[in-house]
Amino acid sequence: MPDVTRLLRDWSAGRAEARDELVGLVYAPLRAIAERHLQKERNAHTLQPTALVNELYLRLVDQRSVEWNDRAHFFAVAAQVMRRILVDHARRRNSEKRGGGVVPLTIGAALDVAASENFDVIALDAALENLAVIFPQQARLVELRFYGGLTIDETAAALGVSAATVSREWTMARAWLRREMNSR
Amino acid sequence: MDDGSRVAAARDEFAMSADPFWDQVRELFHASAELAPSERAALLDHADARVRAEVESLLAAHDDTEPFLDRSVWDYIDRAEGDRLAGATIGPYRVVRQLGGGGMGTVFLAIRDGEFSQRVAIKLVRGGGGEAFVQRFRQERQILAALEHPNIARLIDGGRTPDGLPFLAMEFVDGVPIDEYCRAHALSIAQRLRLFLQLCDAVQYAHGNLVIHRDIKPANVLVSEEGTPKLLDFGIAKLVSSDTRADATVTRLMTPEYASPEQLLGEHVSTATDVYSLGVLLYELVTGAKPFAANRAPRDEAKPPRGEIGSIVAMAMEVNPSRRYGSVEQLADDVRRHLGGHPIAARRPTFRYRASKFARRNKLGVAAVAAIIAVIAIAFIATLHQKRIAERRFDQVRSLARSVVFEIHDAIATLPGSTPARELLVRRALVYLDNLAAEAEHNTPLQMELGGAYVKIGDVQGLPYTPNLGDTHGALTSYHKALAIAESVYADEPENRDALLLLADAHDRIGFVEQRTLRWVEALRAHERARVLREKITPRTPKDDLALARTWVAIGDDVYVGAKQIPESMHRVTPRQAYEAALHTLDRVPRTGPHRSELLMETGRAHQHLGGMFTGGEYHDMAAALAHHDAATRALEERASLDPTNAVARRNFADQLVMRATAQNAIRDGAGALEGTTRALAVMKELAAADPKNVEAQHDLAFVYEQMGFANLQLKRWADSERATREAIAIRERLVAADSGNREDIRGLAVLYGVLANVGKERGDAAAYARYREKADELLASSRR
């Protein structure tokens, strides 16, 4: 799918809309891959987000014409997509009443686990929007860590900063989001 | 650099917020978050009330211990899977709960149906390979099940789940990883060593039964509450090792903390492999840090083990298996001797150990860490080579060295912060190439590789205007070595295009370094030789034209800047002719296509230098100067935008803004110059912070501050001018102190003291004027010496 390759290029070159188009293109395949890993392929019992995203990347991006930094961009897109999947799921779940019985193991079930924990997916999304206004890089960092599943080191590589910086800013972003969500 | 300023540098990696209020909040939060609540008051008391209120409310959230965002979405997905399996039956076992996800697969706690007393750990093996796994398991189970030792968790069973996934059932150990245990119980070094000795005993026992562990690491050593360590997963790595998917290999390479060099290379694994991993574990137990972990926060930094333990670790972690302890028993004996106060047998530290210290000192990116692993891999193959195991090895060393020097080096060269990694890489590769070249004197391709490698290391040592270590003399030595090799090859094979190119490259670079030493005659001579060689090349590719244009610009610089030194007999072209020859050469390069970025760079460079020339005395024409600077700014801005991650391109663009500012200062456009330098300063500061070892970034910073001082002088902002100038002086004084071969900065210092003298004069401070004037004259004289 050369489109993704071209859009990554455009985004790298500074065309911000390209990122939104990318998110749209990547949404369905990422969701499909995550579900497939849960349902069909039993030989991968521990999900490795980086492996999944790598797989997606290999599938969607024309390897011959990309540069190393496109990969970091792609991880950023995947993290955004995951954020959107999570919010969409939570919205749907709020709007429709689910039937009883056995819950099939879909990504939705997994997201229910996430949503039933100690925070509200939609509130987190809104808080993150607010954070992005003040500290856009912190918001990106949260996206990569929480939605993208990247480790501190991987996040540092993707953002092109040191791990120490990621660690410090992550601490502050968490405090900021926690306060924002508590005040709701 | 001390830790305090490193922390400050790390903070600056994140861009400022649009609102200064939030920057203050961020700074104060970072400063106080690490402190205990009782210690914060002192800091907060000084802050503005609004900032303080905001930070306090953030700190309250920060201190909240409720889990929050402590796992990623993906962990939830993973756990949903674990919940699904809870209660499931695997063989005769019923899953109770998930224990964790290991490198090889997910681990569950299970009980044997009907026998509640028998708790087992079930490991579902990811990518274990189905039927093949069961085959291997049958072959190995007799041996593994026979391992009975109080410090080894027994293998009980294995097979396939109903849906075909390989699993292993092992003795369940209720304990915590050994590193956590040591930390939690604050064990003394002696206590840690005794724990370690029990492990050695277990590994030694297994080796006696011809079983190699292959994957010793803290996560595989659990210590029970009573303090008994147990090794998990003995021999398991071999069972799952036929997993040869490419990504598995890559994963290994990227997380190599405990793997021995021979494992990283997929070489023969022996008991020495376990000795190595025990060495890493010992390192970690006594220092609390991994020898190869990168990106550690400064305050977590631990010293590598010193003294006897340091020697023991170093010998266990020798790159060459034959130089490690011959057995686990010997390793344990040395630890026992140390505990008993007897002399140990270990020898002095070696490269691997030094490399580990290097990795510890430098917070490098993932790419650089991977590169260091490659270096270690070379060290390993090279030692094999020294033993002349086979001709095949020779080719391996060579191809690996080549890939390090030419591929890995190039891949990380534009990453900010990669300078020290580049130096280590190239230097190590060079040692091996040197050894090889001694044996293959008449092997032309190898000689060429060696020459190319010398050029690369010269670049890292001190090629001006690129990230380098500021070692001018070292760079010249390396380039001259490359030159000697290229000359001898070229003499034998005048048709060899690569030799001709290498010769031209070496001459060019010698010229660039001589420019920095202000020896313009030598610089011009070298560049002229490079030009003659480059014009001989046929057929010409766009790359050749780009290189020739670069050489023309250099010649222009030599005859323009070095005019006073260069004798009449050497004046073949005027600076203007040289720069225009460069632009003319660039006309032959296609405007679109793969060379776009380089074309923009060289075009920008030629215009930039023309702009500089028209600014100066003899060719003074400010309208022309500004026109060329504008053309240069456009070209370099476009180039930087083509690849926002290319630090060199961003640097060149920022540098051009400063060059244009010099012209703006010359026409008394202080406002324009201040705007340009302010923009450039942000970029230069960021690049310098990202790569503190890069001396060139310091040169750049000094230059920006210098021009900023000038701009403020024009605008009659005396205090601002003095402040910027003093920043520049501080940097240049450091640079001069660190590199005695560097005269350019001595002259630069003279200029700066001249600015201070001017500020003094304008302010009516005659004493300051006289003092700074004298200092400037003194420096100017010493730069000519």
Side-chain angles (χ1 to χ4, degrees):
Chain A
M1 196 188 288
D3 267 3
V4 173
T5 314
R6 183 177 53 76
L7 287 169
L8 276 173
R9 268 288 142 77
D10 289 1
W11 186 27
S12 305
R15 195 166 73 84
E17 311 89 81
R19 188 179 53 181
D20 298 335
E21 290 175 46
L22 270 173
V23 169
L25 270 177
V26 173
Y27 189 105
L30 182 65
R31 196 183 162 108
I33 283 190
E35 293 203 359
R36 182 165 53 75
H37 271 261
L38 285 171
Q39 279 192 310
K40 301 191 187 78
E41 295 204 346
R42 283 289 145 77
N43 65 350
H45 272 261
T46 298
L47 277 174
Q48 285 192 307
T50 42
L52 290 189
V53 177
N54 267 327
E55 178 186 329
L56 182 64
Y57 181 76
L58 291 175
R59 239 175 47 191
L60 293 183
V61 175
D62 179 3
Q63 292 300 299
R64 286 156 307 176
S65 61
V66 295
E67 299 187 11
W68 70 271
N69 57 306
D70 289 345
R71 202 182 192 79
H73 279 124
F74 193 79
F75 271 91
V77 170
Q80 284 198 331
V81 169
M82 198 63 209
R83 178 177 173 187
R84 191 168 288 184
I85 288 174
L86 199 61
V87 172
D88 287 353
H89 173 77
R91 291 227 168 89
R92 244 197 322 278
R93 190 165 153 277
N94 289 350
S95 66
E96 67 190 40
K97 225 174 155 59
R98 283 189 311 143
V102 181
V103 183
L105 187 82
T106 62
I107 196 162
L111 300 182
D112 285 344
V113 177
S116 65
E117 290 270 326
N118 41 18
F119 66 89
D120 173 343
V121 166
I122 295 171
L124 176 70
D125 186 64
L128 199 52
E129 287 284 287
N130 293 342
L131 178 63
V133 175
I134 301 168
F135 296 118
Q137 278 172 298
Q138 281 189 2
R140 265 194 76 197
L141 190 159
V142 172
E143 242 171 27
L144 289 171
R145 293 270 291 135
F146 180 72
Y147 298 99
L150 265 57
T151 62
I152 295 268
D153 285 347
E154 288 164 345
T155 310
L159 291 176
V161 300
S162 71
T165 294
V166 170
S167 240
R168 295 165 64 84
E169 302 295 340
W170 170 240
T171 304
M172 178 163 175
R174 269 173 64 181
W176 203 94
L177 292 171
R178 189 198 285 270
R179 184 190 59 168
E180 189 82 354
M181 290 177 67
N182 286 346
S183 69
R184 268 157 200 273
Chain B
M1 195 187 268
D2 65 282
D3 282 354
S5 53
R6 197 161 17 191
V7 171
R11 185 182 309 146
D12 283 344
E13 284 181 341
F14 260 36
M16 296 280 168
S17 170
D19 180 348
F21 169 76
W22 288 111
D23 281 329
Q24 289 172 32
V25 167
R26 189 162 65 123
E27 197 153 320
L28 187 60
F29 176 85
H30 283 321
S32 41
E34 291 167 9
L35 301 176
S38 59
E39 298 169 67
R40 288 173 187 159
L43 266 180
L44 295 170
D45 283 346
H46 292 292
D48 162 81
R50 254 180 79 225
V51 173
R52 179 186 175 148
E54 179 69 21
V55 171
E56 279 178 337
S57 98
L58 283 173
L59 287 172
H62 171 71
D63 294 337
D64 191 340
T65 51
E66 274 290 296
F68 177 69
L69 294 190
D70 53 346
R71 58 186 101 203
S72 77
V73 173
W74 299 89
D75 295 329
Y76 288 116
I77 295 177
D78 217 15
R79 210 153 53 118
E81 170 70 352
D83 289 354
R84 194 180 66 90
L85 275 175
T89 307
I90 296 176
Y93 307 99
R94 197 148 51 76
V95 173
V96 177
R97 65 184 159 91
Q98 186 175 343
L99 291 170
M104 285 181 288
T106 315
V107 186
F108 298 94
L109 173 66
I111 47 173
R112 201 183 173 101
D113 261 353
E115 291 175 51
F116 285 91
S117 57
Q118 195 183 4
R119 294 195 292 173
V120 297
I122 298 262
K123 178 169 255 180
L124 290 175
V125 183
R126 173 153 33 93
E131 192 52 47
F133 168 83
V134 175
Q135 284 284 338
R136 277 198 308 282
F137 177 74
R138 285 203 190 105
Q139 288 163 13
E140 299 281 327
R141 78 179 295 174
Q142 290 292 331
I143 304 166
L144 296 179
L147 285 181
E148 283 208 48
H149 187 278
N151 302 111
I152 294 176
R154 273 201 331 132
L155 176 73
I156 295 166
D157 201 355
R160 289 166 78 178
T161 62
D163 34 358
L165 192 72
F167 76 90
L168 295 164
M170 284 164 293
E171 177 186 343
F172 171 68
V173 180
D174 195 3
V176 296
I178 189 164
D179 50 338
E180 267 180 61
Y181 181 86
C182 290
R183 244 194 327 272
H185 292 76
L187 295 191
S188 69
I189 295 291
Q191 287 170 316
R192 287 168 197 230
L193 292 179
R194 282 190 205 102
L195 213 49
F196 179 75
L197 284 173
Q198 292 187 56
L199 271 188
C200 287
D201 197 49
V203 178
Q204 194 186 321
Y205 165 83
H207 286 180
N209 284 279
L210 304 178
V211 179
I212 302 167
H213 191 293
R214 293 159 193 255
D215 196 18
I216 298 174
K217 58 185 178 187
N220 276 339
V221 182
L222 297 187
V223 185
S224 69
E225 211 27 61
E226 304 82 61
T228 309
K230 281 213 187 209
L231 250 173
L232 312 183
D233 289 359
F234 235 111
I236 302 306
K238 188 180 179 192
L239 282 179
V240 297
S241 69
S242 77
D243 177 10
T244 52
R245 293 168 308 160
D247 62 338
T249 317
V250 171
T251 311
R252 268 262 150 119
L253 270 170
M254 296 305 289
T255 53
E257 285 108 327
Y258 304 92
S260 61
E262 63 268 26
Q263 277 175 303
L264 290 175
L265 288 169
E267 296 277 338
H268 179 68
V269 165
S270 68
T271 53
T273 305
D274 283 349
V275 170
Y276 179 93
S277 305
L278 283 170
V280 181
L281 187 69
L282 179 59
Y283 182 114
E284 206 171 334
L285 288 183
V286 297
T287 64
K290 293 183 179 71
F292 288 95
N295 289 328
R296 194 177 293 127
R299 64 195 148 98
D300 297 342
E301 209 151 295
K303 297 226 168 6
R306 288 177 179 278
E308 289 189 337
I309 292 292
S311 305
I312 292 172
V313 166
M315 185 154 165
M317 288 174 67
E318 271 281 0
V319 169
N320 184 338
S322 70
R323 295 180 59 173
R324 289 178 205 146
Y325 287 105
S327 67
V328 175
E329 190 173 11
Q330 288 178 16
L331 166 62
D333 281 348
D334 244 7
V335 174
R336 265 183 225 111
R337 275 193 283 268
H338 169 77
L339 277 171
H342 305 294
I344 60 165
R347 296 177 299 262
R348 63 185 180 77
T350 56
F351 165 67
R352 169 82 201 224
Y353 180 61
R354 287 200 299 276
S356 76
K357 285 207 273 189
F358 172 87
R360 191 188 56 78
R361 277 200 307 267
N362 297 279
K363 295 183 290 124
L364 301 168
V366 176
V369 172
I372 289 172
I373 294 156
V375 170
I376 290 161
I378 299 175
F380 175 69
I381 303 191
T383 50
L384 290 182
H385 166 67
Q386 283 157 8
K387 296 165 87 184
R388 293 167 190 280
I389 288 172
E391 181 66 20
R392 195 169 58 82
R393 295 268 181 245
F394 179 93
D395 292 332
Q396 279 181 359
V397 184
R398 186 173 151 193
S399 76
L400 203 57
R402 182 169 44 204
S403 105
V404 165
V405 175
F406 295 101
E407 289 162 22
I408 302 178
H409 170 274
D410 289 355
I412 66 172
T414 58
L415 291 179
S418 65
T419 307
R422 287 166 62 207
E423 191 203 16
L424 177 71
L425 269 180
V426 179
R427 202 176 274 286
R428 293 310 303 183
L430 214 50
V431 170
Y432 304 119
L433 284 174
D434 264 343
N435 287 341
L436 293 178
E439 292 173 33
E441 221 172 290
H442 300 290
N443 181 338
T444 305
L446 187 61
Q447 291 289 332
M448 290 297 298
E449 277 167 32
L450 189 58
Y454 277 123
V455 169
K456 295 266 177 192
I457 193 164
D459 290 355
V460 176
Q461 286 170 311
L463 179 65
Y465 313 113
T466 61
N468 71 73
L469 298 164
D471 178 7
T472 304
H473 296 301
L476 268 184
T477 308
S478 297
Y479 292 144
H480 278 289
K481 280 190 191 169
L483 193 63
I485 292 168
E487 269 170 350
S488 85
V489 174
Y490 187 59
D492 289 347
E493 304 176 20
E495 298 303 307
N496 187 329
R497 180 188 163 94
D498 290 337
L500 192 127
L501 283 173
L502 180 61
L503 203 52
D505 282 347
H507 277 304
D508 255 343
R509 283 163 156 88
I510 288 170
F512 288 130
V513 177
E514 295 290 16
Q515 286 182 340
R516 182 139 286 179
T517 58
L518 303 185
R519 303 200 311 179
W520 296 102
V521 174
E522 281 79 0
L524 178 59
R525 195 171 290 141
H527 287 136
E528 275 291 349
R529 289 205 179 119
R531 177 188 62 83
V532 171
L533 290 164
R534 293 200 189 285
E535 285 179 341
K536 272 190 200 166
I537 295 169
T538 49
R540 308 185 62 79
T541 65
K543 249 184 130 88
D544 296 325
D545 283 325
L546 287 162
L548 178 59
R550 210 160 19 235
T551 306
W552 269 123
V553 171
I555 291 173
D557 293 347
D558 297 334
V559 291
Y560 172 63
V561 188
K564 285 186 189 142
Q565 281 184 20
I566 291 168
E568 201 58 37
S569 61
M570 281 182 79
H571 273 281
R572 284 196 200 87
V573 289
T574 66
R576 186 174 178 167
Q577 283 169 332
Y579 296 135
E580 280 170 357
L583 287 172
H584 185 69
T585 307
L586 291 173
D587 283 343
R588 290 200 292 260
V589 179
R591 309 216 147 230
T592 53
H595 298 289
R596 175 85 186 147
S597 171
E598 275 186 278
L599 175 63
L600 286 167
M601 176 172 77
E602 298 309 331
T603 308
R605 201 205 298 271
H607 280 298
Q608 179 184 71
H609 292 226
L610 273 165
M613 185 198 77
F614 282 118
T615 311
E618 197 180 339
Y619 306 91
H620 191 74
D621 177 349
M622 288 315 294
L626 284 168
H628 282 298
H629 275 308
D630 286 343
T633 308
R634 276 195 304 276
L636 294 175
E637 182 164 26
E638 186 186 337
R639 171 163 186 260
S641 73
L642 289 182
D643 178 6
T645 61
N646 182 339
V648 175
R650 293 182 59 208
R651 181 261 162 205
N652 288 344
F653 170 53
D655 181 56
Q656 168 54 28
L657 289 172
V658 191
M659 294 302 293
R660 187 167 62 169
T662 63
Q664 289 164 321
N665 273 327
I667 59 162
R668 304 268 179 266
D669 176 10
L674 186 60
E675 191 198 326
T677 49
T678 305
R679 205 170 153 198
L681 182 63
V683 178
M684 296 301 197
K685 265 185 164 170
E686 186 193 326
L687 294 176
D691 194 356
K693 293 234 157 147
N694 175 7
V695 171
E696 199 59 41
Q698 299 299 318
H699 279 285
D700 288 339
L701 263 184
F703 186 38
V704 184
Y705 279 123
E706 173 194 289
Q707 290 301 318
M708 210 173 220
F710 277 142
N712 281 308
L713 193 66
Q714 314 264 16
L715 297 168
K716 305 194 186 303
R717 297 183 185 174
W718 314 126
D720 286 346
S721 174
E722 183 164 349
R723 196 174 311 123
T725 307
R726 287 201 183 278
E727 291 275 4
I729 288 177
I731 296 168
R732 287 205 173 131
E733 280 180 344
R734 273 201 304 277
L735 289 171
V736 169
D739 181 9
S740 58
N742 166 1
R743 290 199 199 169
E744 191 182 339
D745 281 316
I746 299 181
R747 211 180 53 170
L749 271 175
V751 172
L752 293 168
Y753 278 105
V755 177
L756 287 186
N758 271 317
V759 172
K761 192 168 88 184
E762 297 287 355
R763 281 173 155 176
D765 182 348
Y769 173 75
R771 190 167 67 244
Y772 292 132
R773 186 76 255 170
E774 194 186 330
K775 179 86 181 162
D777 290 343
E778 198 179 288
L779 285 163
L780 212 52
S782 87
S783 81
R784 292 204 188 97
R785 235 169 258 149

